[in-house]
Amino acid sequence: MQWEVVIGLETHAQLSTESKIFSGSSTHFGAEPNTQANPVDLALPGTLPVMNRDAVEKAIQFGLAIGADIAPVSVFARKNYFYPDLPKGYQISQFEKPVLSGGKISFVVEQQGKQELKTVQLTRAHLEEDAGKSLHEDFLDMSGIDLNRAGTPLLEIVTEPEMRSAAEAVAYARTLHALVTWLGVCDGNMQEGSFRCDANVSIRPKGQTTFGTRCEIKNLNSFRNLEDAINYEVARQIDLVESGGTVVQATRLYDPDNRETREMRTKEDSQDYRYFPDPDLPPLTISAEWIEKVKAGMPELPEAMRTRFIRDYGIPEYDAAVLTQSKAMADYYEKLVETAGMKLAKQSANWLMGDVSSALNRENTGIDEAPVTPEQLALLLTRISDGTISNKIAKEIFADMWASPSGEANRADSIIEAKGLKQISDTGELEKIVDDVLAANQKSVEEFRSGKDKAFNALVGQVMKATRGKGNPAQVNELLRKKLG
Ligand code: ADP
Ligand code: MG
């Protein structure tokens, strides 16, 4: 039997507001437990929630970026359930009338060696509050509750069940992550729980049009866990069905240490939550003028920037797509070209996609933490283009700059000076070296004269070796051709 995998993702993005979604207490991460939850967050008697304007504006920004419908009127609802980290007994969320409906996200996904552009439709995105957090201390055999997170604003972003592999789900999640951080609506910190995904996974025989029964894996807080959890869950469901069992709709947890999912509870239906409109909050109304105002304050979006890079810098579409994958990378590129000059726009792109990206990958860090500034890199590229150094020497200098960071603006020049790396472009000096090499390599000279082109490259190699890589390659070639007739 051939199986098709069906995946829909629900992502909780924490909106990066200063204060909670319905109260004035701080959302700052890492404070002493239970110092940042106030009576409103706990719904103590006599308190009333008040909507945070900034949270709404961030939802509007996201809606504009993905082409969603922004509801002129949306409604907050109480989702009723008891859990130790939710002592008030209900979560304020949106149910029937969410703030955003529809919209789509496109991304490139690489599968079986092929790159494909895929578009996923979004079902909805709604505003809600986060719950507190239970902390389990094994050595004390106790659990504690930290309510600091209670009332933190979340945007829950729900896709249609349109993804067909773990690779597609991860590519979607990465693109969504890049978009929300680009917009600045979410800080994207996955370790701190600011961006977490629930994966809904089912399988069905290839060709079948109805969906199979799904399981939902909760709270995946890294792309790695998202991918592994889906792959594990798919294998589990296939094994189960092929050995005569049936998938039971359930909520499962992923355990990265044992690399397996475990059942948490069999799935509840929405009627179990007894949703009803929150009587303490008026409907949220969003006017066309408000949307226009928010739009005016938004940063340039990745797609617009990609088009601009192709047009203004004359770089290929592929380069533009890579450079606009994050705002930090795009900013670095623009700074680099601004300093190095338009003539070096393509070389700048090559360096960022080449040596710079490899260094970042090797050290698993982001461009915003690169130890080489755009200005320092620009000078290095200028020294290649003005013939001071070869590309090969530049790579070595770059590695030096990366390994020992310094604030010095003319760092490349200092290294060239200190290590005597300046290219030998003085023809008198080069000519002498070429003569010596020819005298010492009579065999290659004869081979070349008898028609063996390869011998020429061997001679170039010998000259470069004699100059310790510093010979100007163009001049070395020219001199050799001249001398060999
Ligand atoms: P809830 O999880 O709150 O019950 P929904 O029923 O709306 O909410 O579904 C949530 C997610 O599950 C959506 O992302 C949707 O695309 C996905 N989904 C629904 N049915 C399936 C299915 N059969 N297989 C995989 N994903 C599914
Ligand atoms: Mg769900």
Side-chain angles (χ1 to χ4, degrees), residues 6 8-10 158-161 200-202 211-212 214 216 267:
V6 174
L9 288 189
E10 297 164 90
V158 183
T159 75
E160 290 291 303
N200 293 269
V201 179
S202 66
F211 289 131
R214 71 185 148 118
E216 177 173 1
K267 180 71 185 175

Side-chain angles (χ1 to χ4, degrees), residues 2 43 56 65 85 97-99 110 117 166 176 240 284 288 297 325 331 335 363 373 404 415 455 463 476 481 485:
Q2 289 261 49
V56 179
D85 62 19
K97 291 190 169 149
V99 64
E110 204 176 311
L117 188 72
L176 178 65
L240 183 64
L284 172 62
Q325 258 167 8
D331 287 347
K335 254 269 140 54
E363 292 180 25
T373 67
S404 46
I415 296 177
V463 176
V476 170
R481 293 234 176 257

Side-chain angles (χ1 to χ4, degrees), residues 127-405:
L127 285 160
E128 64 182 24
E129 61 177 347
D130 208 344
K133 195 175 178 181
S134 309
L135 302 154
H136 312 290
E137 295 287 8
D138 283 342
F139 73 99
L140 288 174
D141 200 18
M142 280 205 292
S143 290
I145 314 272
D146 176 8
L147 291 166
N148 283 355
R149 212 175 60 184
T152 297
L154 302 177
L155 189 66
E156 178 172 339
I157 303 155
V158 183
T159 75
E160 290 291 303
E162 289 182 348
M163 285 157 278
R164 295 290 175 265
S165 66
E168 284 184 15
V170 170
Y172 159 81
R174 283 190 182 278
T175 305
L176 178 65
H177 184 268
L179 179 63
V180 293
T181 51
W182 184 294
L183 291 167
V185 301
C186 170
D187 68 18
N189 190 324
M190 295 177 86
Q191 272 112 44
E192 293 179 4
S194 302
F195 186 95
R196 44 193 207 262
C197 296
D198 302 343
N200 293 269
V201 179
S202 66
I203 54 163
R204 62 180 173 186
K206 271 226 165 80
Q208 179 180 308
T209 48
T210 52
F211 289 131
T213 303
R214 71 185 148 118
C215 284
E216 177 173 1
I217 315 157
K218 282 274 182 204
N219 279 333
L220 298 162
N221 62 356
S222 75
F223 297 120
R224 178 72 203 272
N225 285 354
L226 177 64
E227 181 164 15
D228 289 352
I230 293 173
N231 283 328
Y232 171 82
E233 181 59 19
V234 167
R236 187 190 71 88
Q237 290 185 16
I238 291 175
D239 271 359
L240 183 64
V241 174
E242 288 188 344
S243 59
T246 42
V247 176
V248 181
Q249 188 170 337
T251 299
R252 302 180 71 88
L253 274 186
Y254 179 63
D255 170 359
D257 295 328
N258 297 306
R259 308 186 81 186
E260 61 180 27
T261 63
R262 273 200 298 269
E263 187 168 301
M264 193 161 83
R265 52 176 186 259
T266 48
K267 180 71 185 175
E268 60 294 319
D269 273 329
S270 65
Q271 60 262 33
D272 296 333
Y273 287 120
R274 294 289 183 268
Y275 279 102
F276 64 88
D278 193 309
D280 287 344
L281 283 156
L284 172 62
T285 59
I286 299 176
S287 67
E289 294 81 61
W290 193 9
I291 296 174
E292 278 314 308
K293 231 174 97 189
V294 171
K295 197 181 206 166
M298 270 168 67
E300 185 181 20
L301 294 175
E303 261 181 55
M305 195 177 256
R306 197 174 311 166
T307 314
R308 180 167 65 78
F309 277 18
I310 297 167
R311 189 190 61 219
D312 292 357
Y313 299 121
I315 56 174
E317 186 174 10
Y318 178 82
D319 296 25
V322 173
L323 295 172
T324 54
Q325 258 167 8
S326 79
K327 181 97 174 26
M329 181 60 93
D331 287 347
Y332 192 107
Y333 176 68
E334 293 213 87
K335 254 269 140 54
L336 179 58
V337 179
E338 189 186 305
T339 320
M342 277 299 214
K343 254 188 16 227
L344 299 182
K346 176 59 181 151
Q347 281 88 329
S348 296
N350 292 348
W351 271 78
L352 283 189
M353 297 187 301
D355 290 61
V356 176
S357 289
S358 335
L360 293 173
N361 288 340
R362 192 182 60 231
E363 292 180 25
N364 199 11
T365 180
I367 186 81
D368 43 350
E369 288 177 40
V372 177
T373 67
E375 291 79 5
Q376 291 173 329
L377 182 56
L379 181 63
L380 185 67
L381 302 197
T382 305
R383 290 297 171 254
I384 305 170
S385 76
D386 68 15
T388 311
I389 50 171
S390 67
N391 209 48
K392 190 157 165 279
I393 295 280
K395 283 171 179 288
E396 288 167 25
I397 299 176
F398 174 77
D400 268 5
M401 288 163 75
W402 193 279
S404 46

